[in-house]
Amino acid sequence: MRTAPTILHLDMDAFYASAEQASKPSLRGKAVVVGGIGPRGVVATASYEARVFGVHSAMPIGQARRLAPNAAYLVPRFRLYREVSEQVMGLLRELSPLVEPLSLDEAFVDLEAGEAAWDAASARLVGERLRDEIKAVTGLTGSVGLAASKMLAKIASEEAKPDGLVLIVPGTERAMLGPMSVRTLPGVGPATGDHLRRAGITTVEEIAEAGEDELVRLLGKSHGASLYAMALAHDDRPVVAERDAKSVSVEDTYDVDIHDRVRVRTEVQRLAERCVQRLRGAERSGRTVVLKVRRYDFSTLTRSETLRGPTDDPAVVREAAARLLESVDTTGGVRLLGVGVTGLADYTQEDLFAQARAQAEADAHAAEGVREGEAEGAGGAGDEGQAAEDEVVEAADRRWVAGRDVRHEQFGHGWVQGSGLGRVTVRFETPYSEPGRVRTFRTDDPALVPAEPLPLVEGGAGRCAAREPDVGSGVV
């Protein structure tokens, strides 16, 4: 492990909710919940004002509404979040060539590799300057952790929240970690935490005192040994600039269980198409197709099929997904469907030609004696399910969901507060204005049209390039 705290971990504060508050002056300082607004949606992010009421990420949206009925509930605007994330990651890459993004709002930075810091004093200066630059460029706040290892830097940033900086001086790690809960350590979830608690272990110091042999007996060789090393503050993992994606997938959660088998097949075909679009967007191909089905009773099934070679052919992925669906019983209803591709490889034309030939042979063989049900499920058109983050649905052009950007010929830029009974309520304001006025229109008012998000800081990055509005039934 290093002798200087030159690994930085940045975690943006309540990222989605903070971006919405920065975008909408009337919501600043108020409870905001971002997530799926349908009855089966889940919370993606809650503002700190909403967390006071007990609302947190991954909570069912219905439960959140019961805890904080007066909060603003908004659909995510992923294109805006990605734009802001790119600005933040750009600032990080100015510090070092070794930046390891973990998500849109979180990343590790190796300050030593960029010669940006070499001791505790220089690291602290870099961290403070970074927080100021993020605020100036995006209008948002981020929390910074600095330490000699990735694990400790992440723990430090968590301790710094919100809008703070914590630096762990090398040599003080054991003393700092000791009284903390076992749940502080990476990989210790509710199940492992309960298992350790039953054994009388509730703090990191007690993990260290238990010894490696006891932890291996309780948790198994791999998990026990790694947990013991973390309790001793041992972590030699390097910051890796390029995190190679292991899979590409898409999934949708439905407001109402799907019972119609034909509809389920149609949804799987549509998801397969979207999955391939993402696969091609990443310029990758994949060898294993995975189907995910969550049934009415919350039981989740996964099925997979490994192809003869990697592909990004939508027909091949559709057919594989359809075959996998035939092995799943959906009689009681389906609440979630997903299609993914794993075993990723770089795009090669030879792979695609080989796969196309193999698929043609399989099609010819299947045509001789295919069952009626299989033939019916092999095709499929239509778009009956709820759209998700990156899907474009023409019908959604007139669907006014809470949080969506709009523009009116007379009143300018605003956002949807709510809609129903043929009416849509809009608050007209921008990130740079005072809280705006609210007006109500007919949903078919020709003067009201969807708009693109504005940058959070005036004179900042340009508008999001994509013109399609973000819609979705839930965040998964």
Side-chain angles (χ1 to χ4, degrees):
M1 206 162 74
R2 304 182 183 201
T3 57
T6 52
I7 292 182
L8 180 149
H9 180 260
L10 171 71
D11 195 352
M12 300 295 289
D13 299 321
F15 183 47
Y16 296 173
S18 294
E20 296 299 339
Q21 289 176 318
S23 179
K24 302 170 172 64
S26 59
L27 296 183
R28 293 170 189 170
K30 298 182 179 179
V32 174
V33 178
V34 179
I37 60 174
R40 290 191 173 162
V42 296
V43 175
T45 306
S47 69
Y48 286 99
E49 296 84 353
R51 295 181 190 187
V52 172
F53 299 99
V55 180
H56 58 78
S57 300
M59 173 181 285
I61 208 74
Q63 183 180 354
R65 288 186 184 275
R66 290 190 294 273
L67 293 172
N70 296 321
Y73 289 84
L74 309 174
V75 296
R77 297 186 295 161
F78 290 105
R79 292 179 180 86
L80 171 64
Y81 309 151
R82 278 194 287 265
E83 183 177 272
V84 176
S85 175
E86 288 171 3
Q87 294 175 301
V88 172
M89 296 302 167
L91 293 175
L92 298 182
R93 292 187 179 97
E94 291 178 6
L95 298 175
S96 172
L98 292 183
V99 176
E100 182 178 340
L102 304 179
S103 62
L104 289 177
D105 63 336
E106 186 180 1
F108 287 110
V109 184
D110 188 334
L111 299 179
E112 192 175 292
E115 299 183 352
W118 49 91
D119 59 13
S122 59
R124 184 179 291 277
L125 286 174
V126 169
E128 293 290 5
R129 186 172 69 246
L130 173 64
R131 292 175 58 235
D132 291 342
E133 290 176 346
I134 289 173
K135 185 67 179 290
V137 171
T138 70
L140 306 181
T141 64
S143 296
V144 169
L146 292 158
S149 70
K150 290 169 70 173
M151 178 191 77
L152 292 166
K154 185 173 176 62
I155 291 174
S157 69
E158 194 64 33
E159 292 292 304
K161 284 185 168 295
D163 191 20
L165 182 150
V166 168
L167 183 149
I168 300 176
V169 177
T172 67
E173 297 94 347
R174 290 284 302 276
M176 183 210 67
L177 285 175
M180 290 185 171
S181 165
V182 294
R183 293 289 302 276
T184 303
L185 299 179
V188 181
T192 302
D194 286 344
H195 195 51
L196 291 171
R197 179 183 54 79
R198 288 193 295 269
I201 300 173
T202 59
T203 67
V204 176
E205 184 177 12
E206 288 170 344
I207 290 178
E209 291 174 350
E212 184 173 357
D213 291 343
E214 176 65 9
L215 290 168
V216 168
R217 186 186 69 80
L218 289 171
L219 304 174
K221 184 175 182 179
S222 177
H223 196 185
S226 65
L227 195 60
Y228 180 68
M230 287 189 289
L232 298 180
H234 294 167
D235 179 20
D236 295 323
R237 294 173 300 157
V239 176
V240 181
E242 296 296 332
R243 290 166 56 89
D244 194 26
K246 296 180 180 180
S247 66
V248 172
S249 64
V250 295
E251 59 185 42
D252 276 355
T253 301
Y254 304 97
D255 289 346
V256 179
D257 288 348
I258 302 177
H259 293 84
D260 183 357
R261 182 72 174 183
V262 174
R263 165 82 184 279
V264 172
R265 290 172 180 146
T266 300
E267 290 297 306
V268 168
Q269 298 297 290
R270 183 176 61 82
L271 290 166
E273 292 279 358
R274 284 172 48 203
C275 181
V276 171
Q277 289 175 8
R278 290 191 178 183
L279 191 66
R280 288 182 169 181
E283 297 184 347
R284 306 297 295 275
S285 57
R287 182 165 185 162
T288 300
V289 178
V290 180
L291 175 71
K292 178 180 178 181
V293 179
R294 182 167 296 152
R295 299 188 293 190
Y296 70 97
D297 59 357
F298 287 90
S299 62
T300 302
L301 304 175
T302 58
R303 299 288 186 270
S304 63
E305 177 180 322
T306 300
L307 308 172
R308 298 185 183 181
T311 184
D312 70 349
D313 187 334
V316 175
V317 177
R318 282 199 311 267
E319 292 292 333
R323 287 193 296 272
L324 293 170
L325 180 60
E326 291 304 315
S327 65
V328 177
D329 179 12
T330 61
T331 305
V334 170
R335 59 184 294 117
L336 177 146
L337 290 169
V339 174
V341 176
T342 66
L344 301 187
D346 292 335
Y347 174 91
T348 59
Q349 192 68 35
E350 290 77 14
D351 286 338
L352 295 181
F353 284 144
Q355 184 59 49
R357 285 194 299 271
Q359 187 62 33
E361 294 172 4
D363 289 344
H365 177 73
E368 297 177 1
V370 67
R371 290 186 295 150
E372 181 178 353
E374 292 174 334
E376 189 177 21
D383 231 354
E384 300 172 343
Q386 295 290 338
E389 171 187 347
D390 293 319
E391 188 177 8
V392 180
V393 181
E394 292 182 1
D397 286 343
R398 308 304 297 175
R399 182 183 175 194
W400 308 113
V401 291
R404 175 181 181 174
D405 293 273
V406 295
R407 178 168 291 278
H408 191 274
E409 290 180 0
Q410 179 181 353
F411 303 109
H413 190 93
W415 58 278
V416 175
Q417 280 198 326
S419 62
L421 301 176
R423 300 281 179 176
V424 55
T425 301
V426 178
R427 184 180 289 273
F428 289 97
E429 59 186 6
T430 73
Y432 340 114
S433 72
E434 295 297 320
R437 295 187 60 183
V438 175
R439 298 181 182 274
T440 300
F441 307 91
R442 299 192 318 272
T443 54
D444 60 353
D445 189 331
L448 189 68
V449 296
E452 300 169 359
L454 298 174
L456 301 183
V457 175
E458 195 166 13
R463 298 188 181 204
C464 296
R467 294 186 176 274
E468 307 85 20
D470 288 313
V471 295
S473 62
V475 178
V476 180

